[in-house]
Amino acid sequence: MYNPQLPMDGTPVNNPPALNAGAFSRSAERNSNERIKQLLKSFGLRTSLIRLKVIDALLTAAQSERSLGVRGIHSQLLELDIPLSFLSVREVLKRLCSEGVLTLNADKSYSLHQQAAAVLDGLS
């Protein structure tokens, strides 16, 4: 396919350094995603982008000792430019709770179930 931004003389295109600046953060994110993928697999669940992002948001909040409800998770994902609907986030949270990956706390916040936390600790 024709791209007017590519040279026509057959010389290779060198990507500017700005495009490769986040390589280290992407590899760290990939490692985190691999752990979450293994967690989902151990519970017999398929991996989906929304499940990865929701669990990652909960893990990030737990590291900073915060608790998040549906609205908190949804707004955190929107801040990261991940355009997911509120209903999608809520349905994923309900499914992960029913499968035993997450726990709905008394204050309507979500956290990783003890068994899921043990699985993640074993993957570290």
Side-chain angles (χ1 to χ4, degrees):
M1 185 174 344
Y2 174 72
N3 186 342
Q5 296 177 345
L6 295 177
M8 296 292 290
D9 61 356
T11 59
V13 177
N14 292 329
N15 289 334
L19 294 177
N20 296 325
F24 291 115
S25 65
R26 281 194 301 267
S27 67
E29 181 180 337
R30 243 182 250 127
N31 289 338
S32 175
N33 284 347
E34 286 302 319
R35 291 178 56 222
I36 296 170
K37 285 179 185 179
Q38 291 299 320
L39 171 68
L40 291 170
K41 190 175 185 178
S42 71
F43 279 85
L45 296 170
R46 290 184 181 175
T47 301
S48 68
L49 180 63
I50 188 169
R51 287 178 181 167
L52 288 172
K53 296 302 179 183
V54 165
I55 293 173
D56 187 50
L58 284 171
L59 292 174
T60 302
Q63 287 175 347
S64 59
E65 298 180 4
R66 294 183 304 143
S67 60
L68 295 176
V70 181
R71 291 190 191 283
I73 293 168
H74 181 250
S75 62
Q76 186 172 352
L77 294 175
L78 289 178
E79 287 174 10
L80 297 172
D81 291 329
I82 302 168
L84 297 171
S85 72
F86 178 81
L87 293 176
S88 296
V89 173
R90 186 179 69 186
E91 289 303 312
V92 166
L93 288 167
K94 285 168 66 175
R95 175 66 191 266
L96 291 173
C97 282
S98 70
E99 295 296 327
V101 178
L102 299 180
T103 301
L104 177 60
N105 302 317
D107 63 351
K108 303 288 185 187
S109 66
Y110 290 87
S111 60
L112 213 56
H113 192 276
Q114 291 176 347
Q115 184 180 358
V119 170
L120 272 183
D121 289 341
L123 294 173
S124 297

